[in-house]
Amino acid sequence: MAHTCDIRRVGGPVTVSRFNKLDFGPPAAERDSSLEEVFIESDLFRNLCAGRTSVVLGNRGAGKSALFHMLARRTRARRNQVIELVPEDYSYEMLRSSLADEERGSWAKQGAYAAAWKYMLYVEVMKLVARRDGRSDEAGAARIRRYVRDRHRTSDLGKLDTLISYLKRLEGIKIGPYEAAAKTRELHSLYKLEEIARLIPDIELACRSRPIVILVDELDKKIAWGERELLAMIAARIRRSVPKLRNLSDEQVWARFFEYRLPDGTKSFDYVLARTFHRPREVIQFCAEVIQAARRSGTMACIDREMIEQVEHRYSHERLQDTAAEFRFSYPGIASVFEVFRGGPQRLSREELEYTCLRIADGDVGVDRRAEAWVERFDEQGIVEVLWHVGFLQAGVRRSGAPDQEFISRHTFPHAGVRRAEEFRIHPMFAAYLGLAADTPAALGG
């Protein structure tokens, strides 16, 4: 049954042609050419622009890249020069595969990484100065140009090549056949960056007249999105496609395409939001898939719950796989642990949950061989903590004065613990794909 919008029937039902116009844009900020049109300026962004915040932490899809790209644009607009380092420039998987194991030769990678990072950043700044001040008669600029010419003549080598080459030099000394005294002297020289130490005053002088700003993406203040900010973000993307809605409120813009309230009384946006970790990328992805389904069906009405559920299974599967990928280094094979709960209830008492986790820990239920390596280190409570940490579980809490229990996630309440929780819920994001027994409608939308 088709339903029309019920937020005072704002604008009436939506036509097929309007669905065809609607485009939320790519979920990844680095591929969104119109990011500036839909970017939501937050206090965090303003603090970044003012230099009051210099490190941003957030999970995948939380909006770090969007902040990064907009900060680069604003910085260039002030006539500063910018060096952008994106994940491809320092792939940790590439570094892991390129270097010897830390146990071999007992060389400390942490200190080596720090020294190599400093070296790579200085080299990138010097390359920019050499290009910018190519005709400068200043002695400092000339010394920088000579260093770049002699040591980094190959212009097609990227930042990752510079980083790895310096790490290789450290690695070679640490595990190579050097005499102890020679090894100590050479390592001291590399760790202290003595090769470029004399050029640092020249770099500082060159940057006084025209600063160079280095922006490092994916350093992996914490980014946190509330319901209002996420609704504003998605409404801005709708307005970009349908400029006539520019003067409507965010809720009214949403209600032009989505049934405002579902039959059980849940707001449709709350239903969508409950199936995310409150990250912009997930909201965009879910909404985009729903719009595509509406476009294929040729519906003339606002999108209802039935339409949302058509894409929920696929979306749920993609989110489970992406969550497993996000924690592939900390908890490899964790998707197989999620699968243990397939077909069961969505809500579990602590006793039920710990019994299942005990069976996982004892090997009574099979998991991926990669997961066995870390699962065996935990007892049942430890596995509960892991599942809470990665977002698979929500913990039931009862707020003072509130009649009903609500379920919270680590992503919205990062400092909450789960040791006192007596009831748990598998996150609604994963329920459709795992075929979990239906929770109550109010809980699903909450």
Side-chain angles (χ1 to χ4, degrees):
M1 176 179 178
H3 298 272
T4 55
C5 314
D6 67 349
I7 182 172
R8 295 182 174 81
R9 293 189 177 272
V10 178
V14 179
T15 64
V16 176
S17 62
R18 194 169 297 164
F19 276 121
N20 290 337
K21 291 179 181 178
L22 190 56
D23 179 14
F24 290 107
E30 56 268 24
R31 296 198 300 272
D32 193 342
S33 59
S34 303
L35 178 63
E36 195 155 7
E37 296 178 35
V38 296
F39 183 74
I40 304 297
E41 287 198 15
S42 61
D43 289 339
L44 173 58
F45 179 71
R46 286 187 281 272
N47 285 335
L48 278 170
C49 289
R52 291 188 292 268
T53 297
S54 56
V55 176
V56 177
L57 301 177
N59 296 93
R60 294 170 63 174
K64 298 189 300 298
S65 292
L67 288 171
F68 175 78
H69 285 287
M70 289 303 300
L71 180 59
R73 293 182 190 182
R74 298 289 174 85
T75 303
R76 288 192 179 97
R78 296 197 296 268
R79 297 185 59 78
N80 293 328
Q81 292 185 292
V82 177
I83 295 174
E84 298 182 59
L85 296 177
V86 295
E88 296 77 26
D89 294 327
Y90 52 92
S91 168
Y92 290 114
E93 293 179 47
M94 177 71 76
L95 292 175
R96 279 162 49 114
S97 63
S98 301
L99 301 171
D101 292 334
E102 192 161 352
E103 289 77 11
R104 184 183 167 200
S106 298
W107 69 294
K109 281 189 176 180
Q110 185 173 355
Y113 282 146
W117 262 92
K118 290 178 185 177
Y119 179 78
M120 183 264 283
L121 294 176
Y122 276 125
V123 167
E124 290 304 311
V125 170
M126 286 191 287
K127 285 180 178 179
L128 192 55
V129 170
R131 289 196 299 269
R132 184 185 74 186
D133 302 338
R135 296 183 179 180
S136 172
D137 294 329
E138 293 182 2
R143 284 191 290 269
I144 290 172
R145 288 198 301 272
R146 282 197 298 272
Y147 179 84
V148 172
R149 181 196 64 200
D150 296 341
R151 298 297 187 102
H152 299 277
R153 184 176 302 175
T154 309
S155 59
D156 58 343
L157 289 180
K159 304 173 185 71
L160 184 60
D161 300 290
T162 304
L163 189 62
I164 289 178
S165 66
Y166 205 78
L167 283 168
K168 284 286 189 182
R169 290 166 66 182
L170 284 159
E171 175 191 75
I173 297 168
K174 280 285 189 178
I175 65 178
Y178 281 72
E179 293 289 339
K183 179 182 290 190
T184 300
R185 286 194 301 272
E186 190 67 23
L187 283 174
H188 183 271
S189 174
L190 287 173
Y191 278 120
K192 293 293 186 181
L193 304 182
E194 289 183 359
E195 179 180 306
I196 60 173
R198 61 185 179 83
L199 295 171
I200 292 177
D202 297 329
I203 296 171
E204 293 175 347
L205 181 62
C207 292
R208 282 178 190 168
S209 58
R210 192 174 178 189
I212 296 174
V213 179
I214 301 172
L215 302 177
V216 184
D217 194 7
E218 291 276 339
L219 274 174
D220 273 294
K221 266 118 141 207
K222 182 79 173 178
I223 299 180
W225 289 81
E227 178 183 345
R228 288 185 179 181
E229 290 84 4
L230 288 166
L231 179 58
M233 180 273 301
I234 208 72
R237 290 172 178 264
I238 294 175
R239 291 188 188 97
R240 177 174 61 181
S241 298
V242 189
K244 291 181 180 179
L245 305 181
R246 189 176 296 112
N247 295 325
L248 297 184
S249 70
D250 294 337
E251 286 194 330
Q252 289 173 327
V253 169
W254 174 264
R256 289 298 299 269
F257 295 91
F258 290 81
E259 183 184 23
Y260 186 68
R261 287 192 183 274
L262 304 179
D264 58 30
T266 304
K267 291 181 180 180
S268 58
F269 186 73
D270 289 347
Y271 184 94
V272 169
L273 200 58
R275 282 145 186 79
T276 73
F277 288 152
H278 285 215
R279 301 174 186 172
R281 186 179 300 178
E282 297 158 352
V283 178
I284 295 169
Q285 179 187 348
F286 200 175
C287 290
E289 292 187 10
V290 172
I291 290 295
Q292 288 174 7
R295 197 175 290 149
R296 289 192 299 268
S297 71
T299 181
M300 296 287 290
C302 284
I303 293 166
D304 57 13
R305 180 166 181 163
E306 182 180 350
M307 184 68 66
I308 294 172
E309 289 177 345
Q310 284 184 23
V311 304
E312 191 169 345
H313 183 276
R314 183 176 67 182
Y315 166 81
S316 178
H317 185 202
E318 291 171 350
R319 294 307 311 142
L320 184 142
Q321 290 180 316
D322 199 54
T323 300
E326 184 175 340
F327 293 95
R328 66 189 180 279
F329 296 127
S330 304
Y331 307 110
I334 197 171
S336 65
V337 179
F338 299 160
E339 287 286 347
V340 171
F341 296 86
R342 177 174 290 282
Q346 187 173 1
R347 287 194 187 191
L348 302 122
S349 67
R350 173 174 285 280
E351 183 179 0
E352 292 170 328
L353 177 61
E354 288 189 348
Y355 176 68
T356 301
C357 291
L358 179 62
R359 296 184 67 210
I360 295 171
D362 288 347
D364 292 342
V365 291
V367 295
D368 188 290
R369 185 173 299 176
R370 294 170 299 164
E372 290 176 354
W374 59 266
V375 162
E376 64 184 14
R377 302 198 307 265
F378 294 99
D379 59 10
E380 63 273 25
Q381 179 58 40
I383 294 178
V384 170
E385 295 274 359
V386 168
L387 294 176
W388 157 262
H389 174 74
V390 302
F392 184 75
L393 287 179
Q394 295 178 310
V397 297
R398 195 176 297 276
R399 295 183 185 277
S400 177
D404 300 319
Q405 179 176 241
E406 63 176 301
F407 289 91
I408 62 173
S409 301
R410 186 187 71 87
H411 299 88
T412 48
F413 293 88
H415 303 298
V418 294
R419 293 190 177 274
R420 294 184 180 180
E422 292 301 324
E423 191 171 7
F424 295 85
R425 181 174 73 175
I426 296 172
H427 198 292
M429 178 190 290
F430 310 111
Y433 175 66
L434 292 177
L436 303 180
D439 205 341
T440 61
L444 278 176

